[in-house]
Amino acid sequence: MNKNLKNACALSVLAIACLTARTLEVRAAGTETLRIEAPWARETAAGQRDGGGFMTIVNDGAADQLVGASSPASSEVQIHTVQIENGVMKMRELPGGIAVPAAGRVELKPGSLHIMFIKLNQPLKAGEQVPVTLKFRSGGEKTVRLEVRSVAAMPQPAMPMAPKETK
């Protein structure tokens, strides 16, 4: 084999190796498979210390998990769910986070899964945007802006009714 052909083959192998490594690097970053749709937060009243954030997390890749969040708008951000206990709606922190299924989606909405801003620095006002950094187990971090919506313009979640007693 002549010297030029050897060099051309070596360069071809090197180019293929570089392209393969670049493709793996992009896939390893993970965040390209996670999308956040319709992120929003509920407007809060003056003096209200906590607020809620909502969105849909769409996963085009392998199963992942939302394990945490942070925001400059509050001292802490927690991941919450809502449970009904003895006919009373109660919020509970999910310290383990929220599973995001492979090739699936998870909706964070009022009366259900949501993120909770704890000790807001100031009230959330309609028309503003709140930055939030979401932390995923495999997908890394993703910063989104939640549009703050007016409470008056929102439908209220349906509250389960206690069963009526019959005689």
Side-chain angles (χ1 to χ4, degrees):
M1 199 184 276
N2 73 28
K3 186 176 179 182
N4 287 339
L5 186 54
K6 276 186 181 179
N7 288 340
C9 287
L11 286 174
S12 295
V13 168
L14 183 59
I16 290 169
C18 288
L19 287 172
T20 303
R22 177 71 180 140
T23 301
L24 293 175
E25 178 182 55
V26 170
R27 287 183 185 157
T31 56
E32 293 80 14
T33 63
L34 296 168
R35 289 192 321 273
I36 308 303
E37 295 180 348
W40 64 281
R42 182 178 280 155
E43 177 181 44
T44 59
Q48 187 174 339
R49 294 172 37 108
D50 304 330
F54 315 96
M55 65 198 70
T56 300
I57 302 169
V58 180
N59 184 2
D60 296 325
D64 206 335
Q65 189 165 3
L66 176 64
V67 293
S70 62
S71 174
S74 63
S75 295
E76 184 179 357
V77 179
Q78 296 178 354
I79 301 169
H80 278 207
T81 190
V82 174
Q83 297 173 331
I84 307 298
E85 293 178 8
N86 298 321
V88 178
M89 184 182 278
K90 295 183 178 185
M91 283 187 273
R92 297 274 186 248
E93 182 179 8
L94 296 171
I98 299 171
V100 183
R105 60 193 308 120
V106 174
E107 187 175 0
L108 281 61
K109 60 185 177 181
S112 184
L113 298 170
H114 60 281
I115 61 170
M116 194 77 187
F117 299 99
I118 308 293
K119 296 182 186 172
L120 287 164
N121 299 327
Q122 61 189 25
L124 302 178
K125 296 185 185 342
E128 295 179 345
Q129 292 190 355
V130 180
V132 176
T133 300
L134 304 171
K135 296 174 182 104
F136 294 91
R137 184 170 312 283
S138 300
E141 295 185 353
K142 187 169 194 67
T143 300
V144 296
R145 294 190 164 279
L146 282 63
E147 172 193 352
V148 179
R149 297 182 185 168
S150 168
V151 173
M154 291 179 203
Q156 298 303 312
M159 298 287 289
M161 301 292 288
K164 291 184 182 180
E165 291 184 27
T166 57
K167 292 184 180 184

